[in-house]
Amino acid sequence: MAEQQLGVLKALDVAKTQLYHFTAIVIAGMGFFTDAYDLFCVSLVTKLLGRIYYFNPSSEKPGSLPPHVAAAVNGVALCGTLAGQLFFGWLGDKLGRKKVYGITLIMMIMCSVASGLSFGNKAKGVMTTLCFFRFWLGFGIGGDYPLSATIMSEYANKKTRGAFVAAVFAMQGIGILAGGFVALAVSSIFDKEFPSPTYEVDRALSTPPQADYIWRIVVMFGGIPAALTYYWRMKMPETARYTALVAKNVKQATQDMSKVLQVELEVEHRAEVIVSDPRLNYGLFSKEFAKRHGLPLLGCTSTWFLLDIAFYSQNLFQKDIFSAIGWIPKAATMNAIDEVFMIARAQTLIALCSTVPGYWFTVAFIDIMGRFAIQLMGFFMMTVFMFAIAFPYDHWTKPDNRIGFVVMYSLTFFFANFGPNATTFIVPAEIFPARLRSTCHGISAATGKAGAIVGAFGFLYAAQSQDKNKTDAGYPPGIGVKNSLIVLGVINFIGMLFTFLVPEPKGKSLEELSGETEAEK
């Protein structure tokens, strides 16, 4: 069988790592920076929202968001993301990566800013506006997943493709850090300017009226880095693989890449034969697709789904876990601004020590170890550490053992990011045909977000104490933190088994992986 690959695509595959690769990483990565910033910054300010809008002067504890409101604020962006991944993933294959890429960015910038503005100053008005704009913010963020991954994998050379796509994803870690730093900076400035007593001393004055600006500034800041990259995003040419294999304009693809690679590329005469081969035009719901890509798609979707249940349930509820083990003081002993500072400090420490290094370990090792090995190892280690935290959970809650707990907790995060959290994002952008690549990545990512919704909402209820006197206001008794962690450990183990369905793309060209080189026998 004669292997056929277009000269322009071959040129991309063997191109030396050069400036345009890094430009592409920054342009695509800034979307991810904003994604992570926006999705996680809300967990820094939920306690503050409770104090401001659900203040009850007769209560011993500061105000907190009622369960249905907390679930909406945390979960509505995830629901938007799921919808956006499916819609923009499909659109990216229909209209081209570049066109759709601009739309998602504008949505992210506008909704970031709008979610910090609100109609009225009553709880209902503020929460409704916040949830409305966070849904559409999520919708824009959703589009960024399949498009960023697809654009980066289509631009990269085959030797370092894994590292490039991983580097785009690693910008998430920097976004999470930035969220922490912005919250720390804003709360420190406000604390200095508007000192206030703790909740125990004076309930009403513990939340100064100016505190309402804190959460708005933190939420709106996410739009700034995205706005800065808009111009560059619009200047990037469409990827050669889309132009040649989907739009079937090999001449245009060759011209675009000649500019990008700064070399003269010849337009091939036999290009049209390769591109218009009828056997490579099967659709997403065809038997041929099921035969070639059915199991890999099941592998990508199932592993991402299982990973996100564990990943998001931990991430969105870090502050609850920290309070449970005493890392964050009791709410009544702080004023509103202090509380924001303490939560941000704890989350930033975890991010600095475990989340961010995990991402960059993947970048460093993915093209050496391969995707499969990293994913298998990550799921295995997450299972081990979850069980190590869960079974002796009572031991970890004693004050002397807290440092040990934080170390174990950090390690689960480290191996999520140096593991399946990165690989589940990378592989779907490599193994499917160009005309379905963005769609299949969107499907995989959306299944992952469904897992995130299960994790975020399920854990909110599951982690409640079994003793109904100890639950948070408005929640039914759950299975407790210990049993919840055991369940998460089992989920990670199942993820490890499903990893065996995912092929290894290391060192192969995208056309080889998707079967698009089999143009002529």
Side-chain angles (χ1 to χ4, degrees):
M1 187 166 85
E3 286 287 305
Q4 293 287 328
Q5 192 188 16
L6 291 171
V8 58
L9 306 184
K10 199 167 268 176
L12 278 170
D13 273 343
V14 297
K16 284 196 178 70
T17 301
Q18 47 195 295
L19 185 65
Y20 86 89
H21 284 121
F22 295 106
T23 320
I25 289 174
V26 173
I27 296 170
M30 264 316 158
F32 262 82
F33 174 94
T34 307
D35 300 356
Y37 182 97
D38 288 325
L39 285 176
F40 293 116
C41 74
V42 87
S43 70
L44 299 172
V45 294
T46 40
K47 299 246 174 175
L48 177 65
L49 290 170
R51 283 188 185 236
I52 298 172
Y53 296 106
Y54 294 91
F55 171 63
N56 174 4
S58 59
S59 162
E60 305 237 322
K61 285 184 187 168
S64 68
L65 298 180
H68 63 282
V69 178
V73 170
N74 277 324
V76 68
L78 295 176
C79 298
T81 308
L82 189 152
Q85 284 163 335
L86 290 171
F87 176 70
F88 287 120
W90 168 79
L91 206 60
D93 281 335
K94 285 282 168 283
L95 300 182
R97 330 291 189 215
K98 181 187 164 175
K99 273 188 190 139
V100 184
Y101 213 31
I103 305 171
T104 60
L105 198 69
I106 292 173
M107 275 192 88
M108 278 159 40
I109 298 165
M110 285 169 60
C111 297
S112 267
V113 174
S115 56
L117 310 169
S118 45
F119 299 120
N121 53 5
K122 294 282 179 288
K124 201 166 186 183
V126 174
M127 293 303 151
T128 310
T129 336
L130 180 64
C131 288
F132 175 80
F133 284 116
R134 278 189 71 73
F135 175 83
W136 290 108
L137 170 68
F139 195 69
I141 287 176
D144 224 56
Y145 272 74
L147 292 165
S148 290
T150 304
I151 286 174
M152 198 61 236
S153 85
E154 291 185 342
Y155 260 113
N157 55 26
K158 69 181 176 191
K159 200 166 107 207
T160 52
R161 186 178 60 230
F164 286 157
V165 184
V168 168
F169 194 61
M171 295 295 277
Q172 260 199 338
I174 296 170
I176 293 171
L177 269 186
F181 286 139
V182 170
L184 286 170
V186 174
S187 57
S188 305
I189 294 166
F190 273 77
D191 203 26
K192 206 170 166 190
E193 293 296 315
F194 311 107
S196 50
T198 64
Y199 190 80
E200 290 172 330
V201 176
D202 188 319
R203 288 176 186 176
L205 292 178
S206 72
T207 309
Q210 293 85 354
D212 194 42
Y213 291 112
I214 295 180
W215 70 268
R216 297 174 191 278
I217 294 170
V218 171
V219 168
M220 290 162 91
F221 189 83
I224 295 174
L228 297 177
T229 56
Y230 180 73
Y231 169 73
W232 299 108
R233 235 183 221 208
M234 292 296 88
K235 279 195 67 169
M236 251 177 131
E238 180 57 83
T239 72
R241 289 186 156 94
Y242 183 84
T243 311
L245 299 171
V246 187
K248 307 212 186 304
N249 186 346
V250 182
K251 193 173 165 202
Q252 183 63 48
T254 311
Q255 285 168 354
D256 287 346
M257 290 309 111
S258 294
K259 274 188 209 139
V260 169
L261 296 166
Q262 292 172 338
V263 290
E264 271 305 308
L265 295 171
E266 300 268 317
V267 180
E268 292 152 82
H269 302 300
R270 298 177 53 260
E272 305 311 319
V273 184
I274 301 176
V275 171
S276 53
D277 185 45
R279 276 165 308 171
L280 297 182
N281 285 342
Y282 52 87
L284 182 63
F285 298 108
S286 63
K287 271 189 186 156
E288 186 67 17
F289 180 85
K291 192 173 88 186
R292 290 176 179 230
H293 306 290
L295 282 177
L297 185 61
L298 175 65
C300 291
T301 48
S302 56
T303 49
W304 204 336
F305 176 76
L306 293 162
L307 164 85
D308 269 10
I309 295 179
F311 189 74
Y312 275 80
S313 58
Q314 282 179 294
N315 231 332
L316 286 169
F317 305 105
Q318 275 184 3
K319 57 181 186 300
D320 301 332
I321 295 178
F322 291 144
S323 306
I325 59 159
W327 240 43
I328 294 174
K330 291 236 180 316
T333 63
M334 298 182 281
N335 65 36
I337 300 175
D338 274 348
E339 189 174 38
V340 174
F341 184 84
M342 296 303 276
I343 292 171
R345 192 184 71 177
Q347 291 217 10
T348 309
L349 273 172
I350 280 280
L352 260 179
C353 303
S354 68
T355 318
V356 174
Y359 285 113
W360 293 103
F361 262 73
T362 306
V363 175
F365 290 108
I366 188 154
D367 288 310
I368 301 165
M369 292 170 64
R371 289 62 161 158
F372 179 80
I374 289 181
Q375 186 161 314
L376 205 62
M377 172 197 71
F379 269 130
F380 176 73
M381 298 306 261
M382 284 168 77
T383 310
V384 171
F385 288 118
M386 283 281 196
F387 285 150
I389 293 172
F391 288 112
Y393 183 70
D394 302 328
H395 163 84
W396 296 120
T397 49
K398 296 189 176 70
D400 304 345
N401 306 328
R402 277 183 198 147
I403 297 298
F405 175 86
V406 173
V407 170
M408 302 286 268
Y409 185 71
S410 300
L411 281 168
T412 34
F413 264 117
F414 174 79
F415 281 108
N417 292 325
F418 180 33
N421 193 35
T423 51
T424 50
F425 173 79
I426 297 165
V427 175
E430 300 182 302
I431 60 176
F432 299 107
R435 62 181 189 293
L436 298 170
R437 188 169 289 137
S438 168
T439 307
C440 290
H441 194 288
I443 292 169
S444 304
T447 326
K449 275 295 166 285
I453 292 165
V454 172
F457 294 107
F459 202 76
L460 204 57
Y461 289 89
Q464 295 297 328
S465 170
Q466 290 168 314
D467 174 357
K468 66 171 186 285
N469 301 320
K470 289 186 184 167
T471 59
D472 293 346
Y475 285 92
I479 57 173
V481 175
K482 177 179 175 169
N483 294 342
S484 302
L485 288 166
I486 294 174
V487 171
L488 292 177
V490 172
I491 288 171
N492 287 327
F493 181 72
I494 301 170
M496 196 168 91
L497 301 178
F498 272 105
T499 298
F500 287 96
L501 293 175
V502 181
E504 174 57 79
K506 185 179 100 176
K508 294 179 181 165
S509 78
L510 294 178
E511 287 66 47
E512 214 179 319
L513 285 161
S514 61
E516 284 164 303
T517 47
E518 302 161 18
E520 57 174 47
K521 290 272 189 290

